[in-house]
Amino acid sequence: MQAIIPYPNFSPELFSIEIGGFAFALRWYALAYIAGLLIGWQLIVQALKSPRLWPGEQPPMPPRQVEDLLTWIIIGVILGGRLGFVLLYKPAYYMANPSEILMVWHGGMAFHGGFIGVVVASWLYASKYSIPKWQMADALAMATPAGLMLGRIANFINAELWGRPTNVPWAMIFPTDHLGLPRHPSQLYEAGLEGLLLGSVILWMVWGRKVTRTPGIVAGTFFLGYGLSRFVVEFFRESDPQFYEANPHGYALWVGDFGVSMGQLLSLPMVIIGIFIIVYARSRNSIRP
């Protein structure tokens, strides 16, 4: 018999109350979003309070302005994440059921879509208030990994987005898997790589090496680090069901027995963009008088 680690069967809700016939519940996933945004907010505020971290010891904006920026980012995350899921993962279903597109409480958010939403929202905000865009990008890159880590832990608690079948000793059987197979707890792999490891590296770069003095380096590192982390984890993560309709491996694009999942396909451009940003930032800094 294969050794497995028993899955700690969490409730997806921290608590639920009923008021006037309506049930209100606080779910782990919602708490992860809230906590991630608050932690990111405080990380940016503390960095803005330290002029030595910025070019010419001039922070890109006053700390009090981060609260206003947070509102724009929340809107970008929700709209981008939902539209990304609709367009990238289940376009046919939502074309047939357009009334469900805005039903975010039923689940269905894509990180890459949410990320694009944040980029657009922050770019618009920076343009409106004349904030240096690369410094804004560095600040947001520093703040993001904490939210990623908490979000992946919430995925684990919700027993969703689990990994491929495996016989490793730390495999788990998730209650939401109707096949009842031992699987990789890939949500925890992502929390460790995209969140803890990448976040630790970026915080060390900001506070230990003060690389924010060269605008763009931190943002490029985030793109590169997230793209690589997600690409690696996708080898262990179960693909979405609709991709198994085309081939038994769940690939989105393939040639023969070799292929890449949708997550890997979307992560490769992030790796390329990250490398480009780092090279551009370093060369731009080297030609300054």
Side-chain angles (χ1 to χ4, degrees), residues 8-28:
N9 203 359
F10 298 97
S11 168
E13 299 177 354
L14 279 80
F15 63 84
S16 178
I17 58 175
E18 188 170 325
I19 302 176
F22 294 94
F24 297 90
L26 178 60
R27 295 179 174 269
W28 287 102

Side-chain angles (χ1 to χ4, degrees), residues 2-5 162-174 177 179-185:
Q2 178 185 343
I4 61 173
I5 297 178
W162 18 257
R164 297 177 183 269
T166 182
N167 59 3
V168 297
W170 55 88
M172 292 184 179
I173 296 178
F174 292 90
D177 176 19
L179 297 177
L181 299 175
R183 295 180 178 274
H184 284 285

Side-chain angles (χ1 to χ4, degrees), residues 200-285:
S200 298
V201 169
I202 287 178
L203 289 178
W204 171 76
M205 291 173 64
V206 172
W207 293 95
R209 304 295 296 176
K210 300 179 181 61
V211 296
T212 35
R213 292 177 176 176
T214 305
I217 295 290
V218 173
T221 300
F222 174 80
F223 271 92
L224 175 60
Y226 178 84
L228 289 174
S229 298
R230 181 66 183 268
F231 192 90
V232 170
V233 171
E234 284 289 323
F235 286 112
F236 307 98
R237 176 174 163 172
E238 186 83 330
S239 295
D240 290 286
Q242 63 269 25
F243 294 109
Y244 286 101
E245 297 174 2
N247 65 81
H249 304 291
Y251 295 142
L253 185 66
W254 69 95
V255 176
D257 292 330
F258 176 79
V260 291
S261 68
M262 177 59 78
Q264 288 174 320
L265 198 61
L266 295 173
S267 296
L268 283 174
M270 296 191 72
V271 173
I272 297 170
I273 291 171
I275 294 172
F276 173 81
I277 291 175
I278 292 172
V279 172
Y280 171 77
R282 290 175 62 88
S283 61
R284 181 170 176 265
N285 184 67

